[in-house]
């Protein structure tokens, strides 16, 4: 495949100009915000396409402590944003070990799973509002950012801080663009919901050989919204995580929930004490212990594993294979077993297959990510797994997995399950991208195309 | 008040919040037993709810529709139980639903759109002074052998008005006699009017034949006055509602207070004059009759002016119904455990008999009774006790129908006065 | 009959169409009896037009399954009949917006289909009310977000079709963000599962695969019937740390006899001025405490709870000043899942109030503490809005940051002063803002409530002008978004849209794509491009 035309956007209005021109010419446009190797199947642009590089738009437009919000352009990375937030006593809830070049905006446009379930009120969080550009070349600002007030400055002066994540009015086009992997629109900035950074934290681990008791614990604490970061790993995934952060860890049980409890802004010591006490009681009721991090984890483990500033990669670019989806926490092990068995059947060493479960939506569901932690020496195996991906996806979906963020390689299997949705997506695509220039064919195939 | 136009503000005021369909929101304890309006539950279309009937009546006033047989039929598909009024008055001081329905029914009669069954009922009342058309000479047969004074001949302390159902329904005579025995236990001179007693007239009033009320009320007023009684006692809740509310609202207040037998018996209990002994153990649930309960809330007078300005204390929202006396009696009987249904007191479900439905909408009435039986059964009760012969009759009909349909669940339908006298007799 | 042969939209329904409806449903559940139809045409609430009546539906159909709903919509498409679904149906937006609309009464679809206790999710049909659900959930240790209209209303309708703020927003969010999936009969009659349910993957997500169709189902506001019919909805549930059942007597929500259970409490927090009130709201959000919270304006609270006293207060300058001094306030209910958590939250609340020179007062002005606590938990208080004058109207209401909400409050008061002076509404002490926090204060809602009586000819006649004045102020003073003006229909969109990034253009395109014929009654949504400007 010939290289795509690489265009760096110099300003948001550039994006509109480029899309307008591409629309006239019928030239496909693939937007890209992050830099460096993609972790999860970013679509490649081909020779007759424009690769619209948004990473040059890298301004953090505002960080607002009082309103707990930041506005970031696509090129702002988690590490970059973190540097701006820490002095303000704020934080962004981020996905697990974002790559150094990972765009904050792209991550949340793709609904990547953040680590703190209690702050995940909706699947769209923490993305609030955005400046969007459609395939028509039109600009549209969503949610509270739509106005009234033509500029951000005018809105700020009126007390509006791009905090309403819905609308405007009776449609919500950011929701259509979010998850669309560039097929419905391009964002040139987004407002991100922030949280107050805890003054104090304690680290813990909850371990058991069956997921059940760990799940009981997670259900218990997320139900009452205590504990901050909560992520669950099986042994292989935890080992891989340890290696990635340079802190080897030998799991003591098949399943480990890494738990960090953070203080709340008022009476921090007491808030930590109360949360820890309640979390311990919930753990005890679940038949597991809330082990102190100092006992159960290598020193500094969670600082590294939950951070954004390091150069850690827990998956070797190009070598690993993974499959991820949403499910209920209790269903996750059964679904993970399907992937594991299938991959083992294709020759993967079972010791290299790991499962990471990220509770979402305040614990009502979870992101399940099953990874074959392979290296570059297994090319044939890669080909086999790649060829099998559509079938694996079909089998998992039939067993209840929901591929809310389908990887392009398996998208046809995913969309085959929801023809009604596809018909409706076609209608929406016709509105937002009538010429069909935005990442064509990346997710579903339009009827008649 | 018979003038439907006088209720325009009530009709126009309805915001359609539909709290007339539900028991008060604060009190909802399950999805299953959350509705309060039998008509809305049975007929479903909004027109049959409290709000809907206001809309239908307003539509006719505004000339959008005719007040024809259909409008009348909607008005008559209602037990006039007042459940809607309680839900509404949880929030509103300016809408009187049942009064509006009554005015609409009066309008139906004016226009000749009454129900034939209701006309028969009124003719019975006119001819024989009772709703059944039974011979007026038989009216006092129930009292045979009781030491009751003939109030037509001598003065009494208490005039016991028995009512049509107790007088003529042979299956309920023991209930009437039990009530009489409780009254006699006061030691006061208790009398009855015997064959001179007339129907209270409320059934004619609520079916739209409002003019009929005056004769019956005047007769009752006359007998109450001439008897010298300190108060009138009733065992029938419909009669209680008539004397306590309908009469004064029609400017025909009795010259003496009216008391329900359960109130009198509860006073005896409180003063230690009822020696209650253990009865056959059973779990009992109590059904609040509409006219003793929410609709028995004392008449508060007519407010002259815009109802939106009506003082809060004039709001008849059912708080003043008679709820505690029958419960105190039941709870005091050794061996009896009182279990409440979800829908109790002001927001009790109706038995289905009222508003002329037993006569003109029997299927609806029976379905309404069966809904209550279902609720009573859900408590695990062995018996449903109540203090109105109309409720007892309708529940027994509903239960019998269930049995006919192969449902063999059992629950005793019992008069509270009989339960008390059973306990007293166990004592003797 | 094909759509091409059908009569024009808005024409009376044909006998054939009625016959088809009666064939598709039990014939007893279809009616065109005028009296019954008029009971669906009496809607004096939530509209700017005067009077009781809206358009009389041409017929009413009462489906009991999704399949029947689809059949109804298909018949409407064949015969070019507009349709409008109604659940609990409180307000003109629930009724026909045009002549000759088929009203689809959803009351037979009244089941709770599933409660998933572990994953805190419930699946409901349209005619289940919040009070019914809450009653079923409390024994399970769960609760649901009850939207502002009150627990007599359908949460499905709120989540899919209208708004959805409420006292519990501080801990349970905004109703459309509580949605986990929807079964949707599109305006064409096709069935669509939104989110994971559309892929037979349960009710774990309302979004995806890929783009979320939630974005065309609704926005900040719903389409109020302009976008098909919703037949099932999964909603998030939240913890309830109280008894399975509340033991109480009484019916008036502010006159109940009950005790507040352990680990629960209610306080009225009053601040001396606007600045400290605003600071306190921001601090409360930062603190991550609170189970329920809202400002219930003191005048309004008194008008609902003690109407006779309120009538005296209005006419007494000294008493007015006393009540008005409590203007900068909010009610807050704390509920702890443990004693420790409750005590912690109480201490934090005390600190937030003290830091901002406020006071924590007995809420007896509003009603007994127990009554008020339960009234907020059950949200049984909303219909009380009608007690003082018989009706009310909401203005402004754009959700945004706390600062925006409080600017709207002040603007609302200024507007209200003019309305009162003009005789367009009742004197409610002017301040009648209903301000509340969402999701630990991450954003805020407010609305300026206007008490009036639609039976008063002067007030009824002036309501439309009042509504338009408020709408224009949204633009001229940048008051946080279109708020309740969004529901004024196409003309409002065409006014607001150019000032809110031309949203109306996109909204109209969505409507057109889903419902070119404009059959799903768009009075409270937007007309399709086909009918634009008609």
């Amino acid at each position: 495949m010939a290289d795509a035309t690489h265009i760096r956007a110099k300003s948001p209005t550039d994006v509109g100009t480029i899309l307008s021109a591409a629309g006239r010419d019928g030239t496909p446009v693939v937007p890209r915000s992050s830099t460096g190797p993609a972790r999860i199947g970013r679509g490649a642009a081909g020779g007759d396409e424009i690769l619209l590089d948004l990473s040059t738009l890298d301004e953090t437009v505002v960080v607002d402590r009082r309103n707990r919000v930041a506005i970031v352009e696509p090129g702002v990375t988690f590490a970059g944003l973190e540097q701006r937030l820490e002095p303000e006593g704020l934080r962004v809830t981020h996905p697990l070990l974002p790559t150094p070049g990972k765009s904050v905006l792209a991550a949340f446009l793709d609904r990547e799973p953040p680590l703190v379930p209690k702050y995940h009120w909706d699947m769209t969080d923490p993305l609030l509002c955005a400046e969007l550009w459609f395939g028509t070349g039109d600009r549209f600002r969503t949610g509270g950012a739509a106005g009234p007030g033509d500029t951000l400055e005018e809105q700020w002066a009126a007390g509006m801080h791009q905090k309403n994540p819905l609308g405007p009015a009776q449609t919500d086009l950011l929701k259509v663009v979010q998850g669309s992997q560039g097929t419905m629109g391009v964002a040139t900035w987004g407002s991100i919901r922030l949280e107050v950074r805890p003054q104090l934290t304690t680290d813990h681990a909850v371990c058991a050989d069956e997921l059940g008791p760990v799940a009981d614990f997670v259900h218990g604490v997320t139900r009452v919204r205590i504990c901050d970061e909560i992520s669950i790993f099986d042994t292989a995934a935890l080992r891989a995580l340890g290696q990635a952060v340079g802190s080897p860890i030998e799991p003591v049980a098949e399943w480990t929930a890494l738990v960090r409890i953070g203080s709340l802004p008022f009476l921090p010591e007491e808030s930590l004490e109360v949360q820890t006490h309640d979390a311990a009681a919930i753990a005890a009721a679940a038949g597991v212990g809330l082990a102190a991090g100092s006992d159960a984890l290598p020193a500094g483990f969670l600082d590294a594993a939950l951070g954004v500033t390091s150069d850690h990669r827990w998956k070797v670019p190009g070598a690993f294979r993974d499959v991820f989806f949403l499910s209920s926490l209790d269903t996750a092990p059964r679904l993970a077993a399907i992937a594991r068995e299938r991959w083992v059947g294709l020759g993967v060493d079972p010791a290299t297959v790991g499962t990471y479960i990220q509770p979402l939506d305040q614990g009502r569901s979870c992101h399940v990510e099953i990874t074959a932690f392979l290296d570059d020496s297994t090319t044939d195996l890669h080909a086999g797994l790649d060829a099998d991906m559509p079938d694996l996806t079909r089998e998992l979906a039939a067993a209840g997995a929901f591929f809310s963020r389908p990887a392009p390689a398996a998208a046809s299997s995913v969309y085959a399950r929801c023809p009604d949705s596809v018909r409706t997506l076609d209608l929406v695509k016709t509105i937002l991208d009538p010429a069909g220039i935005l990442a064509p064919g990346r997710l579903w195939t339009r009827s008649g195309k | 008040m018979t003038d439907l136009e006088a209720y325009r503000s009530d009709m126009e005021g309805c915001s359609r919040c539909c709290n007339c369909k539900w028991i008060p929101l604060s009190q909802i304890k399950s999805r299953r037993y959350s509705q309060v309006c039998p008509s809305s539950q049975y007929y479903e279309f909004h027109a049959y709810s409290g709000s809907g009937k206001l809309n239908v009546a307003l539509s006719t006033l505004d000339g959008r529709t005719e007040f024809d047989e259909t409008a009348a039929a909607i008005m008559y598909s209602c037990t006039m139980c007042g459940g809607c009024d309680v839900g509404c008055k949880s929030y509103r001081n300016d809408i009187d639903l049942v009064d509006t329905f009554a005015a609409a029914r009066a309008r139906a009669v004016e226009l000749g759109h009454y129900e034939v069954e209701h006309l028969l009922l009124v003719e019975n009342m006119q001819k024989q002074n009772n709703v059944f058309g039974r011979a007026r000479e038989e009216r006092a047969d129930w009292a045979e052998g009781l030491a009751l004074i003939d109030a037509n001949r001598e003065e009494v302390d208490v005039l016991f008005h028995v009512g049509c159902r107790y007088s003529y329904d042979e299956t309920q005579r023991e209930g009437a006699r039990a009530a009489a025995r409780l009254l006699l236990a006061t030691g006061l001179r208790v009398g009855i009017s015997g064959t001179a007693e007339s129907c209270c007239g409320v059934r004619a009033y609520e079916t739209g034949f409002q003019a009929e009320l005056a004769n019956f009320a005047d007769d009752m007023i006359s007998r109450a006055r001439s008897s010298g009684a300190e108060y009138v006692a009733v065992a029938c809740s419909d009669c209680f509602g008539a004397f306590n509310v309908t009469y004064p609202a029609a400017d025909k207040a009795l010259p003496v207070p009216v008391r329900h037998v359960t109130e009198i018996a509860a006073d005896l209990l409180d003063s230690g004059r009822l020696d209650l002994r253990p009865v056959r153990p059973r779990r009992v649930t109590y059904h609040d009759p509409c006219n003793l309960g929410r609709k028995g809330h004392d008449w508060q007078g007519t407010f002259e002016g815009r109802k939106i300005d009506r003082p809060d204390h004039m709001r008849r929202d059912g708080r003043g119904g008679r709820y505690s006396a029958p419960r105190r009696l039941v709870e005091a009987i050794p061996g009896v455990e009182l279990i409440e249904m979800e829908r109790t007191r002001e927001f009790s479900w109706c038995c289905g008999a009222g508003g002329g439905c037993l006569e003109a909408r029997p299927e609806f009435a029976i379905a309404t009774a069966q809904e209550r039986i279902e609720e009573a059964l859900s408590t695990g009760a062995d018996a449903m006790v109540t203090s109105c012969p109309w409720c007892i009759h309708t529940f027994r009909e509903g239960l019998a129908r269930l049995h006919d349909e192969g449902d063999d669940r059992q629950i005793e339908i019992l008069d509270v006065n009989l339960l008390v006298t059973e306990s007293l007799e166990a004592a003797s | 009959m094909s759509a091409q042969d059908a009569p024009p939209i808005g024409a009376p329904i044909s006998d054939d169409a009625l016959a088809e409806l009666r064939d598709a449903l039990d014939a007893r559940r279809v009616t065109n009896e005028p009296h019954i139809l008029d009971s669906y045409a009496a809607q004096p609430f939530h509209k700017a037009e005067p009077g009781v009546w809206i358009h009389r539906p041409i017929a009413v159909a009462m489906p009991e399954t999704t399949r029947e709903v689809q059949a109804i919509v298909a018949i409407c498409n064949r015969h070019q009949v507009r349709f409008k679904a109604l659940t609990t149906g409180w307000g003109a937006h629930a009724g026909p917006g045009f002549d000759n609309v088929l009203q689809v009464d959803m009351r037979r679809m009244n089941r709770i289909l599933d409660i998933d206790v572990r994953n805190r999710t419930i699946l409901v049909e349209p005619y289940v009310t919040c009070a019914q659900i809450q009653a079923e959930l409390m024994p399970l240790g769960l609760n649901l977000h009850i939207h502002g209209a009150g627990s007599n209303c359908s949460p499905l309708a709120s989540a899919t079709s209208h708004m959805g703020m409420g006292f519990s927003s501080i801990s349970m969010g905004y109703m459309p963000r509580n949605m986990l999936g929807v079964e949707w009969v599109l305006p064409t009659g096709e069935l669509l599962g939104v989110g994971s349910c559309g892929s037979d993957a349960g009710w774990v997500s309302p979004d995806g695969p890929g783009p979320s169709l939630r974005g065309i189902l609704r926005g900040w506001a719903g389409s109020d019937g302009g976008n098909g019919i919703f037949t099932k909805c999964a909603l998030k549930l939240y913890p309830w740390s109280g008894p399975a059942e509340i033991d109480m007597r009484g019916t008036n929500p502010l006159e109940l006899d009950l005790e507040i259970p352990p680990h629960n409490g209610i306080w009225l927090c009053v601040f001396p001025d606007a600045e400290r009130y605003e600071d306190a709201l921001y601090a409360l959000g930062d603190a991550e405490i609170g189970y329920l919270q809202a400002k219930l304006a003191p005048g309004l609270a008194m008008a609902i709870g003690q109407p006779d006293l309120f009538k005296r207060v209005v006419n007494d300058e000294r008493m007015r000043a006393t009540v008005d001094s409590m203007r900068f306030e909010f009610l807050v209910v704390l509920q702890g899942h443990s004693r420790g958590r409750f005590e912690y939250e109480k201490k934090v609340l005390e600190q937030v109030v003290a830091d901002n020179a406020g006071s924590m007062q007995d809420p007896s002005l509003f009603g007994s503490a127990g009554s008020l606590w339960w009234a907020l938990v059950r949200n049984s208080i909303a219909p009380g809005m009608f007690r003082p004058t018989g009706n009310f109207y909401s203005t402004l209401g754009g959700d945004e940051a706390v600062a925006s909400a409080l600017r709207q409050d002040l603007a609302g008061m200024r507007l209200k002063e003019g309305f009162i002076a003009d005789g367009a509404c009742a004197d409610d002490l002017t301040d009648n803002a209903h301000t509340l926090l969402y999701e630990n204060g991450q954003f805020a809602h407010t609305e300026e409530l206007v008490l009036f009586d639609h039976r008063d000819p002067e007030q009824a006649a002036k309501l439309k002008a009042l509504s338009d004045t408020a709408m224009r102020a949204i633009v001229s003073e940048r008051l946080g978004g279109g708020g309740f003006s969004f529901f004024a229909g196409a003309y409002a969109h065409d006014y607001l849209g150019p000032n809110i990034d031309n949203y109306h253009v996109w909204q109209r395109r969505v409507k057109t794509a889903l419902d070119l014929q404009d059959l799903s009654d768009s009075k409270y949504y937007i007309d399709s491009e086909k009918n634009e400007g008609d």
Side-chain angles (χ1 to χ4, degrees), chain C residues 108-152:
Chain C
R108 286 184 80 90
M109 297 183 72
N110 62 358
R111 294 174 300 165
I112 295 173
L113 298 168
D114 185 44
I115 300 174
D116 181 344
V117 174
R118 193 163 167 83
N119 295 302
R120 284 166 275 137
T121 305
I122 191 167
L123 182 62
V124 293
E125 290 187 326
Y127 193 70
V128 187
T129 69
C130 293
Q132 291 177 315
I133 294 171
Q134 188 184 58
E136 299 291 339
L137 291 177
M138 285 165 54
L140 306 173
L142 291 170
N143 200 357
L144 83 159
H145 172 54
I146 300 179
H147 54 293
S151 54
N152 46 322

Side-chain angles (χ1 to χ4, degrees), chain C residues 173-224:
Chain C
Y174 185 48
M175 198 63 106
R177 283 168 61 81
N178 276 299
M179 177 198 297
L180 281 167
V182 177
E183 183 183 84
W184 179 6
V185 176
L186 296 170
T188 53
E190 291 169 276
L191 192 65
L192 176 67
V194 175
S196 51
C197 69
S199 298
D200 289 330
W203 303 87
V204 295
S205 173
D207 303 320
S212 176
L213 293 172
R214 199 162 39 139
I216 58 166
L217 186 155
R218 66 165 296 152
W220 171 77
S223 64
D224 273 336

Side-chain angles (χ1 to χ4, degrees), chain A residues 67 119 141 163 223 330, chain C residues 118 141 236 282 288 442 501:
Chain A
N67 290 292
Y119 293 136
R141 291 177 177 169
K163 291 285 290 187
R223 180 177 179 279
D330 296 328
Chain C
R118 193 163 167 83
K236 298 173 190 177
Y282 273 107
E288 297 183 28
Q442 283 284 3
D501 221 19

Side-chain angles (χ1 to χ4, degrees), chain A residues 66-68 111 119 121 139 141 163 169-170 172 193 216 223 225 266 278 330 362 364 404 415, chain C residues 118 120 141 171 209-210 215 220 222 236-237 279 282 288 338 344 400 439-440 442 501 507 524:
Chain A
R66 188 168 171 85
N67 290 292
R68 287 183 275 160
R111 299 194 295 257
Y119 293 136
W121 295 79
R139 190 207 74 179
R141 291 177 177 169
K163 291 285 290 187
Q170 291 155 299
D172 195 346
R193 180 185 282 206
D216 288 349
R223 180 177 179 279
R225 288 203 289 269
F266 287 82
D278 291 348
D330 296 328
Q362 301 183 338
R364 292 180 188 83
S404 115
Y415 284 104
Chain C
R118 193 163 167 83
R120 284 166 275 137
S171 69
W220 171 77
K236 298 173 190 177
L237 302 176
D279 288 348
Y282 273 107
E288 297 183 28
S338 65
Y344 167 75
E400 245 297 329
E439 302 176 7
N440 292 344
Q442 283 284 3
D501 221 19
Q507 185 167 312
Y524 292 88

Side-chain angles (χ1 to χ4, degrees), chain B residues 9 12 15-17 25-28 31 34 40 44 46 59 62 64 66 68 91 93-94 312, chain C residues 35 38-40 43 53 56 89-90 107-108 110 132 136 152 250 255 308 374 378 380 387 454-455:
Chain B
S9 172
E12 289 182 339
S15 78
R16 206 191 187 282
C17 71
L25 297 177
S26 306
Q27 293 285 0
I28 289 176
R31 176 185 161 279
S34 52
S40 174
E44 300 187 307
H46 183 71
S59 172
D62 283 354
R64 294 168 59 91
E66 293 293 314
D68 56 13
Y91 301 103
N93 294 4
D94 60 331
D312 199 38
Chain C
H35 299 88
D38 253 1
S39 73
Y40 292 86
Q43 292 278 18
W53 302 105
R56 180 193 287 176
W90 187 12
R107 70 164 284 154
R108 286 184 80 90
N110 62 358
Q132 291 177 315
E136 299 291 339
N152 46 322
E255 295 174 357
D308 296 341
W374 180 234
R378 177 54 56 101
S380 54
R387 172 166 284 152
H454 58 276
R455 295 165 294 193

Side-chain angles (χ1 to χ4, degrees), chain A residues 202-205 259 290-302:
Chain A
T202 56
D203 295 345
H204 306 270
V259 179
L290 180 68
S294 54
D295 297 335
L297 303 170
F301 186 80
L302 285 197

Side-chain angles (χ1 to χ4, degrees), chain B residues 19 22-29 33-37 81-84 86-87 90 287-288 290 293-295 317-319 323 327 340-350 372 375, chain C residues 248-252 256:
Chain B
N19 282 295
W22 311 106
I23 68 172
L25 297 177
S26 306
Q27 293 285 0
I28 289 176
K29 295 179 177 65
Y33 298 115
S34 52
Q35 297 197 55
V36 78
C37 174
C81 72
C84 56
V86 171
S90 299
H287 166 79
D288 289 287
C290 304
R294 57 186 165 233
K295 287 179 75 181
D317 61 359
R319 280 173 293 179
Y323 306 111
R327 286 178 169 77
E340 290 289 353
M341 288 181 273
E342 283 188 24
R343 295 177 287 196
T344 66
R345 302 167 72 93
E346 299 99 313
F347 46 94
S348 177
W349 183 258
C350 172
R372 189 57 159 172
E375 187 176 359
Chain C
M248 92 208 80
R249 288 279 167 79
T251 59
N252 183 322
L256 303 174

Side-chain angles (χ1 to χ4, degrees), chain A residues 193-218:
Chain A
R193 180 185 282 206
L194 304 176
E195 308 295 345
V196 178
R197 180 181 290 270
Q199 294 175 33
L200 308 168
T201 59
T202 56
D203 295 345
H204 306 270
V206 173
C207 309
D209 282 330
E210 298 291 330
L211 184 63
V214 177
D216 288 349
F217 167 78
V218 172

